[in-house]
Amino acid sequence: MQGLPLKYQIADYSIDTTRYRISHGDAAVPVEPKVFDLLVYLIRHRDRVLSREELFREVWDGREVSDATLSNHVKTARKILGDSGELQRTILTIRGRGYQFIAPVTVIPEGDPSAAPPPVTDAVAVSAAPTWRVPVVIAAGLVLLVALIGWRTFASWHAQPAPELPYVVVVPFDVSGDAPDTWRPFADQVTREAIRNLRKISGLRVVPAPSAFTFRDNKSRDHIRRQLPDVQYVLDGVVSISAGNELRITVELEDLRKGLVVWDKDYEGRTDDTNLFAMQSAIAGAVSESLKVAILAGEQRALDEFPTTNLQAYEAYVAGRYQLDLLSHDSLPRAIELFDQAIALDPKFFDAFIARSDAYRQLFAYFEPPINMLQKVVDSLSEAQQLRPDSAEAWSSLGLTYVMAWRWKDAWIALSKAKRRDPTLAQTELGFALYYSGLGEAEKVKRALADANRLDPLNVEMADWGNWALFMVGESEAARAWVDKKMEQHPDVGPVFSGAGVGAYVAGDYRRSVQLAERGAELDGSPVALIMLAQAYGYAGQKEKVMPLLERAASAGTYVCPYESAAAYLSIGDEERAITLLDDAVAKRSNCLMFLRTDPRLKPLRQHPHYPVLLNRVGLDDVAVASYKR
């Protein structure tokens, strides 16, 4: 059969390579010739990823065409087969590499004698049968096998690892010894810009800033290998600033596996000139070149864009980012004030809008009554979206905020838009994990967290919330494994230990719970850490310690989450006080109410007559949940 024309069957679609015809059932599907050629080439070479260069060479005969032309032809080919760029059930886009046809394909050779056996007489039927009936069985088996293999590929394409990309971590750049400490925020921002620029290059895999900045106090290569065993390259640097605002950035790229410096260079400019942005773009380009990774035209345009041309605005933004990273009740309002200054100086400074939204969201999640902060988060993100309506970053932040505000349908829309625009944002996957946890979808929680952890493995916010998302849906063993790893990665982060203490008493391990909650309160000392310690004591039978801790938390003068206080009262059996506090949590729009339906700590309240009312107010009653997308 080698070399005979073929038909391909993909679900209900038939592709006839002899008649250049695609049909859906009995109806012909209109198709442009070049789209047909592209589709057939992808199907014939479906065993591998096809680069853009190969497709240009083989389908367009080497003629010069744009990436946009190829993308449009792929889009049309998907549409013909009832697919889309969001679903990608037929043609998978592999960023930085190309395309692969992944749907199950049945191959039907034309001219195969087994397709129409010649008539035989009764006298010769027995002896003649082996000459054609056995090939029919074999051919049918082969078709079935091809279809089965294709289906398995189609059904599990999302689980297959993408081709390995160079994996890079940018560790926080140092400030030279003769520069004042006041330049520390600037050096941090140079690091952050390097990370962001490198992440614009689809042929690289780059550790996001939340994970990268965990190496601020320990950049030893052994420590990096322990924390990120899959990372191959480390980009490190030193920022030097002279009295005349002269700037030098010395950078080097090291291959961790070989212990060799791959590339190093000095870049010189000025802190009071926008050429500093060009320097940062040049660093990204040099790293890409040294790793032999091509930068696509659209990516180069993104690298050449300046965040702002107003250096006073940039100075305020840099100072605000530094305050945001301190992540305290005092530093976050200071950060917002500085971002407001940056926006006033440059009303089109997109990064300042996003950073201000992040500061509001952190206040909303940890430090202030959420009812006071929610609209400020949404308004700031709306302003950012007016500048860039398709920003995945803005949609992702909005989606996570909506989950924590139990605006379930809005959350699904925002998170889905974020993921379509950029599937590499760990924050989006964390949002989905919390969404599914609120609805009680344990397997989807685990999948979303696995993706988030792969994308941003040392993210502290994710370390904390991931544990909560797991034990809330009854996955105590998975939560234990998750949080043990996160405590090892973040041995000085109190909220991770406090949350681990809650997960421990939910699992019935009261001794471990008290030990972890005590450690969390020792490291953190915030009101919520004291409340979680009170819960651990209550469930461990040390009920006399509960009320003093709750009183101490209440006297701190800052926002105390009524939801967690309700859980503390349940640990000493006071259900009515717990119900009153949950009402207060609804009034204050507590983010923890996203767990109201699934929280195992609330089991004593399931039969309380007021509990269904609370579920209804939070949008987690049975009727509402049945209407949400999964």
Side-chain angles (χ1 to χ4, degrees), residues 237-284:
V238 176
V239 176
S240 305
I241 301 102
S242 70
N245 288 324
E246 302 222 354
L247 170 68
R248 173 181 292 177
I249 304 174
T250 302
V251 285
E252 68 175 28
L253 182 69
E254 180 182 344
D255 187 329
L256 269 183
R257 296 174 188 172
K258 297 179 180 178
L260 300 173
V261 172
V262 177
W263 161 85
D264 66 321
K265 189 172 180 179
D266 289 346
Y267 291 86
E268 295 185 353
R270 297 182 61 82
T271 60
D272 55 358
D273 191 304
T274 53
N275 73 347
L276 70 94
F277 301 128
M279 292 165 59
Q280 293 160 352
S281 175
I283 291 170

Side-chain angles (χ1 to χ4, degrees), residues 217-415:
D217 298 321
N218 186 355
K219 298 198 292 184
S220 76
R221 299 324 187 224
D222 286 342
H223 178 60
I224 294 172
R225 290 188 189 96
R226 283 193 301 270
Q227 295 285 75
L228 297 173
D230 294 334
V231 162
Q232 184 175 357
Y233 300 99
V234 177
L235 183 69
D236 201 351
V238 176
V239 176
S240 305
I241 301 102
S242 70
N245 288 324
E246 302 222 354
L247 170 68
R248 173 181 292 177
I249 304 174
T250 302
V251 285
E252 68 175 28
L253 182 69
E254 180 182 344
D255 187 329
L256 269 183
R257 296 174 188 172
K258 297 179 180 178
L260 300 173
V261 172
V262 177
W263 161 85
D264 66 321
K265 189 172 180 179
D266 289 346
Y267 291 86
E268 295 185 353
R270 297 182 61 82
T271 60
D272 55 358
D273 191 304
T274 53
N275 73 347
L276 70 94
F277 301 128
M279 292 165 59
Q280 293 160 352
S281 175
I283 291 170
V287 170
S288 178
E289 183 179 357
S290 70
L291 297 178
K292 297 180 174 58
V293 171
I295 299 177
L296 304 180
E299 294 167 355
Q300 186 59 57
R301 285 193 296 273
L303 286 173
D304 291 339
E305 291 176 355
F306 291 178
T308 179
T309 56
N310 188 313
L311 288 175
Q312 282 184 290
Y314 191 70
E315 184 178 346
Y317 169 75
V318 169
R321 284 284 345 182
Y322 188 75
Q323 293 296 324
L324 175 57
D325 288 344
L326 294 177
L327 201 62
S328 72
H329 191 225
D330 295 328
S331 72
L332 290 171
R334 287 199 294 269
I336 291 168
E337 183 179 346
L338 288 161
F339 295 139
D340 281 339
Q341 290 177 22
I343 291 167
L345 290 163
D346 182 358
K348 294 185 178 181
F349 194 172
F350 175 80
D351 295 343
F353 283 101
I354 290 292
R356 185 180 66 179
S357 303
D358 286 343
Y360 276 130
R361 187 174 64 78
Q362 295 297 343
L363 283 172
F364 162 85
Y366 294 106
F367 298 107
E368 291 285 343
I371 191 69
N372 297 343
M373 289 291 115
L374 176 59
Q375 197 57 47
K376 293 181 179 180
V377 181
V378 173
D379 288 347
S380 189
L381 286 169
S382 295
E383 290 181 78
Q385 288 176 318
Q386 289 175 17
L387 295 174
R388 297 185 189 176
D390 288 334
S391 166
E393 198 175 357
W395 282 113
S396 179
S397 184
L398 191 61
L400 181 56
T401 300
Y402 281 152
V403 173
M404 292 183 170
W406 17 284
R407 288 173 56 171
W408 303 103
K409 292 183 178 180
D410 291 334
W412 176 267
I413 292 169
L415 291 171

